[in-house]
Amino acid sequence: QVQLVESGGGSVQSGGSLRLSCAASGVTISAYCMGWFRQAPGKEREGVALISSDSSITKYLESVKGRFTISRDNAKNTLYLQMNSLKPEDTAWYYCAAKPGVCRVHEFPTNFDYTNWGQGTQITVST
């Protein structure tokens, strides 16, 4: 019943920008911690960014700070990730995830016990 669907992925040149969206259905995200995660071939999954239910708390992977911005529109039941100044090392599959309640900010970016995950969308950043 719960479904998260990412969109906005694709290929972009280094230095470009993309905006990912995660549309939720079957759940109202207003009471959910939500985050973006990524995984590249041969690499560990890592948390990219998370955001609390009321947007009062955000947290970012160190390597994306200043370049990525996570946001949410609870009225639209949608999570976003604005990605600027993209680098080849950002190339990965990106996943939207959600879980009810508080974000585990102290365990970021290595905690992955989210209850709902999207199917992922591929980001390829070319040199």
Side-chain angles (χ1 to χ4, degrees):
Q1 185 177 6
V2 177
Q3 188 174 10
L4 304 176
V5 180
E6 300 94 336
S7 62
S11 298
V12 66
Q13 291 185 340
S14 180
S17 297
L18 289 171
R19 189 191 192 198
L20 301 183
S21 297
C22 172
S25 62
V27 61
T28 300
I29 67 169
S30 59
Y32 281 69
C33 171
M34 300 192 72
W36 290 96
F37 300 80
R38 69 185 183 187
Q39 187 167 24
K43 298 182 180 179
E44 296 180 345
R45 177 173 51 176
E46 60 186 355
V48 177
L50 63 77
I51 185 167
S52 62
S53 60
D54 62 356
S55 300
S56 63
I57 299 172
T58 58
K59 198 159 187 176
Y60 296 91
L61 183 68
E62 185 67 27
S63 62
V64 309
K65 286 183 178 178
R67 300 188 297 118
F68 291 11
T69 302
I70 188 171
S71 62
R72 63 195 295 161
D73 188 335
N74 289 340
K76 295 181 178 180
N77 225 31
T78 303
L79 176 74
Y80 304 97
L81 184 68
Q82 179 67 45
M83 303 183 292
N84 298 327
S85 302
L86 284 162
K87 303 176 180 180
E89 52 263 44
D90 295 319
T91 296
W93 278 88
Y94 284 70
Y95 300 88
C96 169
K99 60 183 177 182
V102 67
C103 294
R104 297 185 177 94
V105 295
H106 297 295
E107 296 179 353
F108 183 88
T110 58
N111 177 263
F112 310 111
D113 61 344
Y114 284 66
T115 56
N116 300 290
W117 292 81
Q119 80 284 3
T121 186
Q122 186 175 4
I123 299 295
T124 301
V125 184
S126 303
T127 58

